[in-house]
Amino acid sequence: GKDPTKVDRSAAYAARYVAKNIVAAGLAEKCEVELAYAIGVAKPVSVMVDSFGTGKISDDEIESLIDKNFDLRPAAIIEHFELRDLPRKNNGKFYQLLAAYGHMGRTDIDVPWERIDKAADLKQQAQCNCCC
């Protein structure tokens, strides 16, 4: 379905956003972020990173940076990406636009999970952890 309150949809967007920011920060050349949730538990029960050996820092250190910089509770994801308002902002056709060519890797429409607005902070924090 197209219900942004369902964690399988919103968490996929969040995982993409986190991974893109990690790569954009130069912390890894490739990054896969896995999120696991349990019913009735707001925070993910697991956040796992696999940089496929391309990480400039360890996957554990990347996971620590994720914990410090990203609020991965479902309600926070919905709010951060404004998932309830996206259809209104796109003349009621936001999810219709996504259905045609998919949800990830879109450059033809503004999807908030493709932004790399946390990359600079992640890079700075990773450098500080290495040298301070």
Side-chain angles (χ1 to χ4, degrees), residues 11-80:
Y13 297 157
R16 169 75 176 187
Y17 176 68
V18 171
K20 280 190 63 112
N21 276 277
I22 289 167
V23 171
L27 305 183
E29 292 176 33
K30 290 190 214 177
C31 183
E32 180 177 88
V33 176
E34 178 184 293
L35 304 174
Y37 293 85
I39 294 172
V41 180
K43 292 184 101 180
V45 294
S46 174
V47 176
M48 190 180 80
V49 169
D50 188 351
S51 64
F52 305 96
T54 68
K56 307 298 184 251
I57 60 176
S58 74
D59 290 350
D60 289 339
E61 290 171 299
I62 294 173
E63 288 171 12
S64 178
L65 287 170
I66 291 170
D67 188 49
K68 291 176 191 171
N69 290 277
F70 297 93
D71 188 348
L72 297 172
R73 296 172 300 143
I77 295 167
I78 291 166
E79 183 179 322
H80 180 78

Side-chain angles (χ1 to χ4, degrees), residues 104-126:
M104 308 299 177
R106 298 297 294 267
T107 58
D108 58 323
I109 58 175
D110 181 29
V111 288
W113 49 89
E114 295 295 330
R115 296 179 186 149
I116 52 171
D117 54 351
K118 297 237 182 192
D121 289 341
L122 291 169
K123 184 175 186 170
Q124 180 185 26
Q125 290 173 36

